[in-house]
Amino acid sequence: MICINVLVTSISKKIPMLQAIQQAMLKMDSSMVLIGADMNPNCIGRYFVHEFWEMPSLKDVEIEEFISVCKKKNIRFIIPTRDGELRYFAFHRRLFEEHGISVMVSEPEAIKACLDKLRFYKVLTENGFPAIPTSLSAQELRCNNYVVKERYGAGARSIGINLSREEAVLHAKKLEDPIFQPFIQGIEISVDLYVTRTGDVKGVVARTRDNVVNGESQVTTTIKNEKLERMCGDIAKCLKLYGHAVMQVIMDNKGDFHIIECNSRFGGASTLSIEVGLDSFYWFFLESQGKNLDDYPFIRSKTEKRQIRHPTNLIIDIREEEV
């Protein structure tokens, strides 16, 4: 019997995500093997996969070579998990499919809009969505306090929050491609969703970011807000996203929404949304095997849940030849 294997790239220390993927794999077929890849051979994630692949930088891998390795390892599914690799997989997604390999990534245009915060703002504004004003210049914004961050990639990287104009301009000098946004007081919310291959929004789960450390929710709590869920679903369709995505939103004191950005991949705390029914990995596997997702409804938990992320220990037996 040939095993159908799953490749997850840039696994780093994303243990809860790896465990969620394994749970989805078990629903499909207990013989499926999880292969985790990372450039760092000492990454913690290698202890939580069936097989570890010390993968070279994608800049150094020709697509034909990559596909050849996938075929040798019987990889049928690829789940990219880092912003920096999404363009590569999006650009080659169709070629992977021609070789029978499904990748959970959106089309290149959608990825481009999500990775560039200025472009994201313009696209959403042109389509009538309340994107937070974003500019290359602090002078162009009408506000007293600012947020400064990198234009491309993860928004939490080197971010400056609630700065005066002078502080914002100084902070911007430390960044490669700074953009400015107004600082808005309110509740931070992440919205997880899954979009099918046909562009339908399969499910949406909103959760408050109760305690954020280095850009990731250490404590997060699910909430129901139909207006917000519907709007994020409409944005996902507008951007033509596919697979799992996470939108970052601020709800101000008046209850108005300000869309900050969209990560077109699985997020660090998105495992909570899986717990309340957003079965993204399972749906991805099913769709990739030609199953009709109408037969697998999104059944949201009736009770809300809170997730607290914390470090834990893993103890394993050492084989004699390893001593």
Side-chain angles (χ1 to χ4, degrees):
M1 180 177 64
I2 298 176
C3 291
I4 297 176
N5 299 335
V6 180
L7 172 65
V8 182
T9 59
S10 299
I11 57 174
S12 184
K13 53 182 179 181
K14 300 164 185 166
I15 313 307
M17 180 197 68
L18 294 172
Q19 293 171 334
I21 292 171
Q22 291 198 55
Q23 288 174 4
M25 290 165 58
L26 286 173
K27 290 184 185 180
M28 295 292 297
D29 180 355
S30 60
S31 67
M32 293 173 76
V33 170
L34 179 59
I35 300 173
D38 202 286
M39 289 174 57
N40 178 7
N42 297 315
C43 75
I44 298 299
R46 69 177 298 157
Y47 297 103
F48 293 83
V49 294
H50 299 120
E51 180 183 332
F52 177 70
W53 176 12
E54 185 183 342
M55 201 172 75
S57 169
L58 290 175
K59 295 177 184 175
D60 302 325
V61 184
E62 295 294 334
I63 184 60
E64 292 79 9
E65 180 185 352
F66 195 108
I67 289 174
S68 174
V69 173
C70 288
K71 295 179 89 168
K72 284 179 185 171
K73 292 178 178 290
N74 294 319
I75 291 167
R76 290 280 305 279
F77 310 98
I78 299 177
I79 301 173
T81 71
R82 186 172 61 84
D83 285 339
E85 61 193 15
L86 295 180
R87 277 197 181 93
Y88 177 91
F89 286 107
F91 184 79
H92 296 298
R93 177 180 153 189
R94 298 296 176 191
L95 186 58
F96 277 112
E97 287 183 348
E98 289 174 13
H99 288 271
I101 302 166
S102 299
V103 186
M104 194 166 78
V105 70
S106 300
E107 293 287 352
E109 277 304 309
I111 296 297
K112 195 183 295 184
C114 292
L115 291 178
D116 181 348
K117 297 175 186 62
L118 185 60
R119 186 186 183 97
F120 180 76
Y121 159 69
K122 289 178 178 175
V123 171
L124 261 62
T125 304
E126 287 169 2
N127 287 278
F129 295 109
I132 194 165
T134 302
S135 173
L136 295 174
S137 166
Q139 285 74 18
E140 291 181 0
L141 298 176
R142 293 181 179 178
C143 61
N144 295 321
N145 299 87
Y146 297 80
V147 172
V148 186
K149 62 177 76 168
E150 291 286 3
R151 176 176 174 178
Y152 303 100
R157 186 161 53 98
S158 307
I159 190 171
I161 299 175
N162 197 12
L163 305 177
S164 67
R165 178 177 292 187
E166 292 73 20
E167 291 171 332
V169 172
L170 278 175
H171 188 85
K173 292 179 179 177
K174 304 175 188 173
L175 307 184
E176 293 179 14
D177 296 291
I179 48 102
F180 299 83
Q181 296 173 335
F183 173 74
I184 296 173
Q185 196 77 46
I187 300 172
E188 286 189 60
I189 302 173
S190 290
V191 181
D192 289 297
L193 47 85
Y194 184 86
V195 185
T196 68
R197 284 174 174 265
T198 54
D200 296 321
V201 178
K202 180 70 178 173
V204 186
V205 174
R207 50 185 172 83
T208 55
R209 290 157 59 86
D210 307 328
N211 183 14
V212 179
V213 178
N214 295 326
E216 291 201 343
S217 300
Q218 294 300 298
V219 181
T220 184
T221 307
T222 59
I223 58 170
K224 286 182 181 175
N225 188 313
E226 291 184 3
K227 182 180 176 182
L228 176 61
E229 293 170 8
R230 190 166 52 249
M231 183 179 68
C232 288
D234 289 341
I235 292 172
K237 286 191 276 190
C238 172
L239 293 172
K240 297 181 179 176
L241 293 173
Y242 163 64
H244 190 104
V246 191
M247 295 190 192
Q248 308 296 347
V249 185
I250 288 182
M251 183 170 68
D252 67 21
N253 298 332
K254 296 178 183 175
D256 293 330
F257 300 121
H258 307 267
I259 310 298
I260 300 173
E261 61 186 69
C262 175
N263 300 319
S264 48
R265 56 172 173 72
F266 198 79
S270 298
T271 44
L272 178 60
S273 294
I274 289 180
E275 286 296 318
V276 298
L278 194 78
D279 218 347
S280 295
F281 297 125
Y282 184 47
W283 292 334
F284 165 62
F285 295 144
L286 288 170
E287 278 199 298
S288 300
Q289 294 196 329
K291 304 289 185 184
N292 186 348
L293 286 194
D294 290 342
D295 298 331
Y296 302 86
F298 169 45
I299 302 174
R300 192 191 191 285
S301 167
K302 293 180 181 177
T303 58
E304 303 304 332
K305 296 181 186 291
R306 176 168 294 152
Q307 176 174 274
I308 301 98
R309 307 181 78 191
H310 64 97
T312 186
N313 297 329
L314 172 70
I315 299 173
I316 58 176
D317 291 330
I318 305 297
R319 292 175 297 183
E320 194 171 315
E321 60 268 27
E322 293 180 282
V323 177

